[in-house]
Amino acid sequence: MEIDIIGDIHGCLEEFRALTLKLGYSWDDGAPVHPQGRILGFVGDLTDRGPLSLEVIEIVYELSVVRQTSLYCPGNHCNKLYRFLQGNNVQIAHGLETTVAEYEALSTRGQKKIQKKFIELYENAPLYHITDNGNLIIAHAGIRQDYIGKHNNKVKTFVLYGDITGAKHSNGMPVRRDWAQNYQGEPWIIYGHTPVPEARKVNHTYNIDTGCVFGGKLTALRYPEMELVDVPSTMPFVPDKFRTSFD
Ligand code: MN
C-alpha cells in the first residue's frame, strides 16, 4: 500500500492543499487525487483554531466516505466536535469556538448538511487504523504496544489524548508521558497530537504533528518510502505550543 499520512490540519485548508499538490495530487475533481493511485491518511484533528475547518471536513468526508480513497481516524478535537454536533453540552473552548463560529454562520440547511457529513465521517472511522497487513498503524496520539488491537475505554483515552498522567504543567497543559520511547514493536505507528518543531522518529514511531495551526508546518509521511514532505504554515508562530523536551 502506498499512502501519504498527514498530521493535524486544524482547519488549515490552504496548507493542506499546498501539501497535497507538493505530494503530486491533483485537485481537478475538487478533492485530491493521485495519478499513481496513492491514498491519503489523516491522524485526526481536522478542525479547530484554523480558518477553514468546515471545508477540511468536506474534503475528508468526500475522500473517506464517498470515494474511499483515504484513511481517517479521529482526534480529541474531532471527538469533541462530534459530541457538540450531537447536541451534547460541551465547553466551546480550546479552538472549538472557531469551528462553532463557522457552523453558526451557516443557514439551518447548511448546518444540517455539515452535521450529517461529520457525524457519518466520525461514525465510519475506527478509533485507529491497523493497515498494510498489520505493518502500519495510524492513531491520533499514538498507541501503546500492549493496547494494539484493543478498543476499551482506557485505549480510547490513550489514542485520543495520549499517555496522560492526570497531572498538569504550570501552563495548564496536561503532562504527557513519552510512550514512544518504550515502543519496541515492528509495525510503524504514525501519530500527531503533540506539536513538535520537526517530525520526530522514535523507534518505529513518527510524530508528524508539526504544529501547522501554531505557525509551524504541515507535514506528511510518505509510506512505505518513509519520506517526510512539508509545507510552511501561514499562521502566526506560537512557540509555547511546541514540545521541545522529552524527559
Ligand atoms: Mn491536534
Side-chain angles (χ1 to χ4, degrees):
M1 119 180 282
E2 292 169 330
I3 181 166
D4 302 311
I5 307 153
I6 297 183
D8 300 37
I9 299 174
H10 285 297
C12 293
L13 178 73
E14 191 180 330
E15 292 87 339
F16 170 47
R17 196 181 153 87
L19 181 57
T20 52
L21 290 172
K22 194 169 175 180
L23 291 163
Y25 290 73
S26 154
W27 282 65
D28 294 348
D29 290 1
V33 178
H34 197 276
Q36 272 95 50
R38 298 182 71 91
I39 65 168
L40 288 171
F42 298 96
V43 302
D45 280 7
L46 304 177
T47 63
D48 295 1
R49 294 197 176 99
L52 293 163
S53 290
L54 300 188
E55 243 181 286
V56 175
I57 292 173
E58 295 272 4
I59 300 296
V60 178
Y61 172 84
E62 174 67 23
L63 296 176
S64 292
V65 178
V66 181
R67 303 187 192 182
Q68 304 198 349
T69 56
S70 81
L71 300 180
Y72 156 80
C73 61
N76 53 310
H77 286 260
C78 306
N79 172 265
K80 199 170 175 191
L81 178 61
Y82 174 69
R83 289 183 282 123
F84 169 80
L85 291 173
Q86 281 188 317
N88 290 299
N89 188 18
V90 302
Q91 203 195 348
I92 313 290
H94 308 296
L96 181 61
E97 58 277 18
T98 67
T99 306
V100 169
E102 281 187 58
Y103 177 78
E104 284 177 348
L106 298 175
S107 64
T108 305
R109 188 158 164 263
Q111 290 183 353
K112 284 216 169 93
K113 274 170 99 171
I114 196 77
Q115 178 193 33
K116 186 170 175 286
K117 283 182 181 177
F118 187 74
I119 287 175
E120 193 180 353
L121 172 66
Y122 188 94
E123 291 183 348
N124 270 289
L127 179 59
Y128 53 93
H129 284 278
I130 304 181
T131 186
D132 195 32
N133 302 311
N135 291 309
L136 175 63
I137 296 167
I138 306 171
H140 177 63
I143 187 165
R144 233 170 72 173
Q145 198 164 349
D146 57 326
Y147 285 176
I148 297 170
K150 298 180 182 165
H151 292 83
N152 60 46
N153 281 336
K154 254 184 162 171
V155 176
K156 186 175 175 185
T157 301
F158 191 102
V159 168
L160 292 179
Y161 297 95
D163 198 358
I164 49 177
T165 64
K168 289 191 172 175
H169 292 290
S170 51
N171 65 359
M173 292 289 288
V175 173
R176 295 172 185 169
R177 288 191 205 92
D178 193 18
W179 62 273
Q181 300 281 3
N182 301 320
Y183 179 67
Q184 297 301 326
E186 204 49 46
W188 286 96
I189 300 178
I190 315 304
Y191 69 105
H193 186 58
T194 301
V196 283
E198 297 291 333
R200 180 170 177 261
K201 176 179 175 281
V202 175
N203 300 319
H204 273 200
T205 77
Y206 271 91
N207 177 358
I208 57 167
D209 178 10
T210 46
C212 186
V213 79
F214 299 121
K217 50 195 181 180
L218 188 63
T219 295
L221 178 80
R222 299 179 80 240
Y223 176 96
E225 298 87 346
M226 309 312 273
E227 289 168 12
L228 294 164
V229 179
D230 57 58
V231 293
S233 170
T234 64
M235 302 290 287
F237 183 52
V238 188
D240 293 1
K241 295 290 186 181
F242 291 82
R243 183 165 179 179
T244 53
S245 72
F246 294 87
D247 39 52

